[in-house]
């Protein structure tokens, strides 16, 4: 078990590398990986169950203790990222399906990777977990509504159906994970220790499938999509930090909010794209999944060096 835990931890720390490798494999072997698109939704559900296994009631109690920081993080998450995404699609005149994909990523909540990056950046991890958890709970309502607002002119959005889908693939698995965690007690620690491995393998499958299904689009406009995704992420980091500083938060809180705003649950974006639109619309999510872990690692390294200087 110790060896499996060690492997899981190592895979979690080197996630960006595996995401990059999966993207390359998906591009060069599309005939093998493209059929995996049909597994994106159940794979994401498994990842969300893992997230639930790491949570407990105390994580949500944090909101009561520090409502201002959590509220600012949530507002920045669900206003800045969708707006930045929309503006980028206008500025770069993106293809409609690509534009939908970019906006979709912007409308998603933060992902669990942000908690790891916040830890490495020596930020406020408790605040990061609180924002991620509440943003995920709000996603069934806010993600479809924001997508309707910013991308409704591009394609018809079935709000009720999308809300139900997000509830099924995000909220229910998380709730189940929390219940299992509570029932197992300390025994759940053994399961939780291998969850990074499950999450990495799951995201790797999603990235490879989306890249494989979108190969033709990547050849035509992959570089442009990468530039847009990178700008989206970096602007999120920058504005998230500046807003947190303007609110007078501590440096550790600023870092947590910065990372929460800049990093999205790209797995959810890919799952919704595959379910409601076109695999091509999932391309920004796949690229975001690879890129934000590299950029997040760089941000964490800069923060750590700043503390040591």
């Amino acid at each position: 078990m110790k060896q499996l835990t060690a492997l899981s931890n190592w895979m979690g720390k080197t996630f960006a590398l595996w995401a990059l490798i999966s993207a390359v494999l998906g591009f060069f072997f599309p005939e093998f990986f493209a059929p995996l698109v049909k597994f994106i939704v159940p794979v994401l559900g498994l990842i969300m169950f893992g997230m639930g296994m790491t949570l407990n009631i105390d994580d949500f109690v944090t909101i009561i203790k520090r409502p201002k920081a959590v509220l600012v993080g949530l507002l920045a998450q669900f206003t800045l990222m969708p707006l930045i995404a929309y503006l980028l699609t206008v500025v770069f005149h993106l293809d409609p399906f690509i534009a939908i994909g970019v906006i979709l990523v912007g409308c998603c909540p933060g992902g669990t990777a942000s908690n790891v990056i916040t830890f490495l950046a020596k930020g406020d991890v408790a605040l990061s977990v609180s924002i991620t958890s509440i943003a995920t709970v709000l996603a069934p309502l806010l993600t479809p509504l924001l997508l309707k607002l910013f991308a409704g002119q591009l394609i018809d959005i079935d709000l009720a159906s999308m809300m139900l889908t997000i509830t099924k693939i995000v909220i229910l698995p998380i709730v189940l994970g929390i219940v299992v965690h509570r029932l197992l007690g300390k025994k759940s620690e053994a399961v939780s220790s291998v969850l990074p491995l499950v999450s990495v393998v799951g995201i790797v499958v999603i990235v490879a499938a989306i890249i494989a299904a979108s190969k033709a689009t990547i050849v035509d406009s992959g570089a442009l999509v990468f530039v847009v995704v990178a700008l989206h992420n970096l602007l999120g980091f920058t504005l998230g930090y500046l807003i947190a500083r303007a609110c007078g938060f501590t440096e550790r809180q600023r870092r947590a909010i910065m990372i929460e705003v800049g990093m999205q649950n790209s797995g959810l974006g890919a799952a919704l794209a595959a379910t409601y639109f076109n695999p091509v619309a999932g391309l920004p999510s796949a690229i975001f999944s690879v890129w934000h872990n590299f950029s997040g690692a760089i941000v964490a390294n800069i923060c750590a060096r700043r503390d040591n200087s």
Side-chain angles (χ1 to χ4, degrees):
M1 189 65 186
K2 289 183 178 180
Q3 292 179 335
L4 186 60
T5 300
L7 174 62
S8 180
N9 291 334
W10 179 71
M11 290 285 284
K13 292 178 181 177
T14 56
F15 170 71
L17 173 63
W18 298 112
L20 178 61
I21 291 174
S22 69
V24 172
L25 290 175
F27 183 81
F28 286 105
F29 302 100
E31 66 284 350
F32 178 79
F33 290 101
L36 297 180
V37 167
K38 61 186 177 183
F39 296 110
I40 289 178
V41 171
V43 166
L44 179 63
L46 181 61
I47 294 172
M48 291 297 100
F49 171 78
M51 177 182 176
M53 285 286 292
T54 66
L55 298 175
N56 55 60
I57 302 302
D58 292 338
D59 294 324
F60 296 93
V61 173
T62 305
I63 303 171
I64 301 175
K65 297 179 179 179
R66 58 176 84 194
K68 181 180 177 182
V70 174
L71 183 60
V72 169
L74 290 171
L75 287 174
Q77 170 91 75
F78 285 116
T79 57
L80 287 178
M81 294 306 276
L83 180 59
I84 293 171
Y86 173 74
L87 293 176
L88 287 172
T89 63
V90 173
V91 170
F92 287 94
H93 305 288
L94 297 180
D95 172 86
F97 275 120
I98 296 296
I100 290 169
V102 171
I103 295 172
L104 181 56
V105 173
C107 295
C108 287
T112 55
S114 61
N115 307 146
V116 177
I117 297 299
T118 298
F119 171 76
L120 295 176
K122 299 182 179 179
D124 190 328
V125 178
L127 175 59
S128 175
V129 170
S130 296
I131 295 174
T132 298
S133 302
I134 302 306
T136 303
V137 170
L138 293 174
L141 174 64
L142 294 183
T143 296
L145 287 175
L146 289 169
L147 188 60
K148 179 75 172 179
L149 175 64
F150 289 103
Q153 74 279 11
L154 297 174
I155 196 169
D156 183 50
I157 310 294
D158 188 338
L159 288 177
S161 178
M162 187 173 290
M163 288 176 182
L164 181 60
T165 297
I166 298 176
T167 300
K168 288 180 179 178
I169 65 178
V170 175
I171 302 302
L172 292 183
I174 287 178
V175 171
L176 181 60
I178 293 174
V179 171
V180 172
H181 180 203
R182 194 165 184 83
L183 291 176
L184 293 180
K186 291 186 177 181
K187 293 181 181 179
S188 66
E189 294 178 4
V191 178
S192 298
S193 64
V194 299
L195 290 177
L197 177 60
V198 175
S199 296
V200 169
V201 172
I203 293 297
V204 160
V205 169
I206 290 174
V207 170
I210 293 297
I211 294 295
S214 309
K215 181 175 180 177
T217 304
I218 294 173
V219 172
D220 291 337
S221 55
L224 176 60
V225 178
F226 176 82
V227 169
V228 171
V229 166
L231 283 173
H232 189 201
N233 171 236
L234 295 176
L235 286 170
F237 280 148
T238 302
L239 294 177
Y241 184 88
L242 292 176
I243 287 176
R245 186 173 69 175
C247 290
F249 296 138
T250 65
E251 179 62 25
R252 293 182 68 242
Q253 290 174 321
R254 294 175 193 173
R255 293 177 184 180
I257 291 174
M258 168 185 69
I259 294 167
E260 283 299 315
V261 174
M263 298 184 70
Q264 304 294 91
N265 188 337
S266 50
L268 176 59
L272 292 176
T275 302
Y276 286 95
F277 309 119
N278 183 296
V280 171
L283 179 58
S285 292
I287 294 177
F288 201 101
S289 182
V290 179
W291 167 255
H292 78 171
N293 284 282
F294 279 111
S295 64
I298 292 172
V299 166
N301 186 260
I302 292 173
C303 291
R305 288 192 176 189
R306 181 179 174 184
D307 289 341
N308 296 329
S309 61

